[in-house]
Amino acid sequence: MKMHAKVMNVQHATYSFGAGVFFRLIIVLAFLLYAAGLTAKTPGSKTPGVFRAAVVKIDITPNSPKMLLGYQARQSTGVHDRIYHRIIALDDGVNQFFLVSSDICVISPSEYDHVAGLLQQQLGINPQNFWWSLTHTHSAPEVGVPGLPAVFMGERYKHPVDTAYTREVEEKLINGIIEARKNLAAAKLGVGWGFSQANINRRAIDENGKASLGMNPDGEVDRRIGLMRIDKADGTPLVLISNYPIHGTVLGGTNLDISADVPGLVSEYIEEKTGVPLLFINGAAGNLAPIYSTYPNIRSSHLGEFRVLLGDKILAANKLITTTTGTVKLNTGSLMVETPRRAGLGWPEDMGKYSRTSKTGDNTILLPIRFLKINEDIAIWSAPVELFCEISNAVRESSPFPFTFYFGYTNGWLGYLPSEDQFKYGGYEVETVCPFTPSVQKDLTEAVVGYLHGEMRSMATK
């Protein structure tokens, strides 16, 4: 029986940080819960129309050897550059939104759910308003249970989960959000585009039509830099958010030094030049590699060249942002795309909520998509996958919003999501680490574009 995709809207109405049911309780109890920071209402919700923001940077570099994620199982022997959580809190006076960029490869969606649950319990933050995006460096420690990678590549996960380091990462993230929320101050927002040729299509096709990991200069690419800058009320910069698709794989599998790879090096470079943090948010990098890839060690890697190849291009894009506004409205939404699961593929126990079996025995994947609308011109969507760039390119071209950004590697990892035409070439991304069928591109694109034109356009911004 042919499976048809289903789209399930989940909380696509604007989430308000009102106290809700607590106002139906006695006034004293509501006041105590608010003071304890346990309700969804935030300090900024008393001043609608006033945009505030804050940024926090927290070191998550371990002080002992760790198993690294991204290539074969291997343990670190040193640290080349430090890794961080970079956290932004945004408050439009009614809604608060939290974006985290972490120098980690991937996490299971269940790890995101666990942290999102803690934030909801402890701070009243709706999970829809908390996005945890990973830079996808392949030289950072594992965090949490392996999830789907253990199904694809079980030989890499014979060692125990590092629960101590996982707790450290979780606690630092939560504490960073607490600090960012406490430091919220009046701010302004600007947005723009840049361009960099730091990436290349990595799906090399041979004479037999077979794909392998390599370089394909004729393949589809996305070289746009999506850039947002948040300034303080006095016009001085507070933080940059850069969105660019590139694998964190300049360093190869023989490298044993912890490193944030391209995203981390570029972030540090921008911070040195501007004096403010940069959140590097990866894009649809499923088929995009850095133009220098998988070098055996730091010395031979050309890693430093990305300061020019990408860092200077972000700086150039920043100079083009000359207009900012303190009038900002945030709206979030989400939907679940149901699409067929690849035949014969097992499924990890910790991810039971992301798949289901029909009465006829057909398995499907439940793919969560998140949306953030900022005013009338910025639309951001995210998914927990390694998306092929031609899919995000098509969504951007079809979007009614002039600034449409895709945030990849966000809120977990459900494998590679290739375009339909790439399935016939096979290769690593399709045959080894993909849980989907060729229909997934159509299922996802129709759902996302429909949402952008429908629910997202109708979200109130005044």
Side-chain angles (χ1 to χ4, degrees):
M1 186 177 81
K2 184 177 180 180
M3 298 297 300
H4 296 282
K6 300 179 182 177
V7 178
M8 298 174 283
N9 287 328
V10 182
Q11 295 179 310
H12 61 258
T14 301
Y15 178 79
S16 174
F17 282 79
V21 67
F22 294 111
F23 280 139
R24 298 186 182 93
L25 302 178
I26 61 175
I27 295 175
V28 174
L29 177 59
F31 175 79
L32 291 175
L33 288 172
Y34 176 83
L38 296 176
T39 70
K41 196 171 181 68
T42 65
S45 61
K46 292 186 177 180
T47 53
V50 176
F51 175 56
R52 300 186 300 159
V55 60
V56 172
K57 178 181 176 182
I58 300 178
D59 195 323
I60 58 171
T61 313
N63 55 16
S64 61
K66 298 295 176 186
M67 297 301 296
L68 303 179
L69 179 59
Y71 309 121
Q72 74 284 356
R74 69 205 199 282
Q75 189 175 65
S76 67
T77 58
V79 175
H80 174 262
D81 53 279
R82 305 192 73 78
I83 59 176
Y84 297 91
H85 289 314
R86 293 174 174 90
I87 301 168
I88 288 180
L90 303 177
D91 185 333
D92 68 358
V94 177
N95 301 317
Q96 284 190 347
F97 179 82
F98 302 89
L99 174 64
V100 180
S101 173
S102 300
D103 293 319
I104 297 169
C105 187
V106 296
I107 56 172
S108 173
S110 65
E111 173 63 21
Y112 163 79
D113 289 336
H114 173 64
V115 174
L118 293 175
L119 289 169
Q120 187 169 35
Q121 295 166 16
Q122 298 176 21
L123 304 175
I125 296 172
N126 185 332
Q128 186 167 271
N129 290 36
F130 161 59
W131 292 14
W132 188 3
S133 185
L134 307 180
T135 63
H136 199 53
T137 170
H138 282 42
S139 297
E142 299 173 348
V143 173
V145 297
L148 202 52
V151 174
F152 292 137
M153 302 164 288
E155 73 281 357
R156 300 187 185 184
Y157 301 96
K158 302 299 184 182
H159 51 275
V161 174
D162 191 334
T163 56
Y165 181 67
T166 298
R167 282 196 302 270
E168 178 183 342
V169 168
E170 294 169 353
E171 290 170 1
K172 287 184 174 180
L173 188 155
I174 293 170
N175 289 337
I177 286 180
I178 292 171
E179 182 180 351
R181 176 183 263 184
K182 181 175 63 177
N183 294 337
L184 284 164
K188 299 177 181 180
L189 176 69
V191 62
W193 291 108
F195 179 81
S196 167
Q197 298 186 89
N199 62 19
I200 189 169
N201 190 297
R202 70 178 196 173
R203 298 264 296 165
I205 309 297
D206 68 16
E207 71 277 10
N208 298 314
K210 178 68 175 177
S212 61
L213 294 175
M215 293 185 181
N216 182 359
D218 297 323
E220 188 87 15
V221 292
D222 179 10
R223 288 173 170 160
R224 283 200 188 187
I225 301 168
L227 190 66
M228 291 185 286
R229 189 182 72 233
I230 299 173
D231 293 341
K232 299 176 185 177
D234 63 6
T236 58
L238 175 69
V239 64
L240 292 166
I241 306 170
S242 177
N243 179 213
Y244 184 79
I246 190 168
H247 255 78
T249 54
V250 169
L251 299 173
T254 60
N255 169 64
L256 300 180
D257 283 339
I258 288 174
S259 172
D261 210 274
V262 170
L265 175 132
V266 169
S267 298
E268 291 293 303
Y269 178 68
I270 298 298
E271 291 170 13
E272 291 171 5
K273 294 292 185 179
T274 64
V276 300
L278 169 79
L279 269 74
F280 190 104
I281 308 296
N282 219 320
N287 52 349
L288 298 180
I291 61 171
Y292 299 111
S293 286
T294 60
Y295 283 80
N297 53 58
I298 300 290
R299 186 177 60 258
S300 64
S301 67
H302 296 280
L303 184 59
E305 276 86 327
F306 286 89
R307 296 184 179 95
V308 174
L309 290 166
L310 183 52
D312 282 348
K313 306 307 185 292
I314 294 172
L315 292 172
N318 182 42
K319 290 181 180 179
L320 297 176
I321 299 177
T322 57
T323 302
T324 59
T325 178
T327 303
V328 174
K329 180 63 178 176
L330 308 170
N331 285 280
T332 57
S334 61
L335 58 80
M336 193 76 77
V337 177
E338 185 170 11
T339 188
R341 194 171 104 195
R342 193 177 85 195
L345 180 69
W347 202 254
E349 292 183 3
D350 67 289
M351 289 170 49
K353 65 181 284 187
Y354 295 97
S355 184
R356 68 179 177 185
T357 303
S358 70
K359 292 180 180 179
T360 58
D362 296 301
N363 295 317
T364 58
I365 294 173
L366 305 178
L367 179 60
I369 312 298
R370 297 283 181 84
F371 298 88
L372 172 64
K373 179 183 179 182
I374 305 178
N375 294 342
E376 292 290 353
D377 56 349
I378 303 173
I380 305 171
W381 65 286
S382 70
V385 293
E386 300 204 41
L387 190 68
F388 274 31
C389 67
E390 47 266 47
I391 299 176
S392 66
N393 288 347
V395 169
R396 185 171 60 212
E397 292 302 314
S398 302
S399 173
F401 297 89
F403 297 98
T404 300
F405 305 143
Y406 168 71
F407 286 10
Y409 307 97
T410 299
N411 302 342
W413 190 82
L414 282 166
Y416 279 73
L417 201 158
S419 55
E420 182 176 0
D421 70 309
Q422 289 297 305
F423 277 82
K424 65 177 178 287
Y425 299 115
Y428 170 77
E429 301 94 338
V430 172
E431 297 171 332
T432 304
V433 285
C434 174
F436 304 103
T437 70
S439 68
V440 68
Q441 177 179 3
K442 181 175 182 291
D443 297 341
L444 175 66
T445 302
E446 288 183 353
V448 171
V449 171
Y451 194 94
L452 291 173
H453 281 271
E455 290 91 336
M456 205 156 182
R457 290 184 71 183
S458 66
M459 288 177 177
T461 57
K462 298 181 180 179

